């Protein structure tokens, strides 16, 4: 069993940056891909970014490509999402998740463990 806890969310102006962190407790996540998802009010949860177990392969949603960057530290058991050039439409609750596979994936059904989420609010 692993527990995931996100932090780093908050209010930010459009064009600004935020760094989200996710710490895993209970066991190591080093053998699994990890991902970030988000859910905006009134919308379904959507894929943001994913990273392979060793960090060598990453995937991004088209909407964040070139602005967001994902990384992991398998010693500290942490996952990070660096968000730059934020837009109002990036406003959402952001979730960290652990996949059951080593390769990154956009498919939410591969992710068995989820954090509680952290709110990101981007204002114009």
């Amino acid at each position: 069993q692993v527990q995931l806890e996100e932090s780093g969310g908050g209010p930010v102006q459009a064009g600004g940056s935020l760094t989200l962190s996710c710490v895993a407790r209970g066991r190591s996540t080093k053998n699994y891909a990890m991902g970030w998802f988000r859910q905006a009010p009134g919308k379904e949860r959507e894929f943001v970014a994913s990273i392979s177990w060793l960090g060598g392969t990453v995937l991004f949603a088209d909407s964040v490509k070139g602005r967001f960057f994902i990384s992991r530290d398998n010693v500290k058991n942490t996952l990070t999402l660096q968000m730059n050039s934020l837009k109002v439409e990036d406003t959402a609750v952001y979730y960290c998740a652990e996949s059951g596979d080593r390769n990154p994936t956009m498919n939410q059904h591969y992710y068995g463990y989820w954090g509680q989420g952290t709110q990101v609010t981007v204002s114009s």
Side-chain angles (χ1 to χ4, degrees):
Q1 192 85 354
V2 64
Q3 294 82 43
L4 304 175
E5 182 178 346
E6 305 93 340
S7 62
V12 62
Q13 287 197 325
S17 298
L18 272 180
T19 300
L20 303 184
S21 297
C22 173
V23 60
R25 297 188 175 91
R27 63 158 171 79
S28 173
T29 58
K30 66 180 181 180
N31 291 317
Y32 303 100
M34 300 287 292
W36 288 97
F37 293 79
R38 67 186 182 186
Q39 186 167 20
K43 295 187 177 182
E44 294 187 352
R45 188 166 60 190
E46 64 175 6
F47 169 77
V48 175
S50 180
I51 187 167
S52 62
W53 65 302
L54 290 177
T57 305
V58 295
L59 291 177
F60 292 97
D62 288 343
S63 59
V64 307
K65 205 170 290 184
R67 300 189 297 122
F68 289 14
F69 300 92
I70 187 172
S71 61
R72 65 188 299 166
D73 186 326
N74 285 342
V75 174
K76 296 181 179 179
N77 226 20
T78 57
L79 178 72
T80 301
L81 185 69
Q82 175 67 43
M83 306 186 295
N84 302 320
S85 303
L86 282 161
K87 303 177 181 180
V88 172
E89 51 264 42
D90 293 320
T91 294
V93 177
Y94 283 72
Y95 299 91
C96 163
E98 181 195 73
S99 172
D101 194 84
R102 289 185 169 183
N103 298 315
T105 178
M106 301 179 180
N107 189 334
Q108 297 187 38
H109 297 294
Y110 277 79
Y111 294 83
Y113 293 96
W114 295 81
Q116 293 299 306
T118 185
Q119 175 71 47
V120 172
T121 303
V122 185
S123 60
S124 59

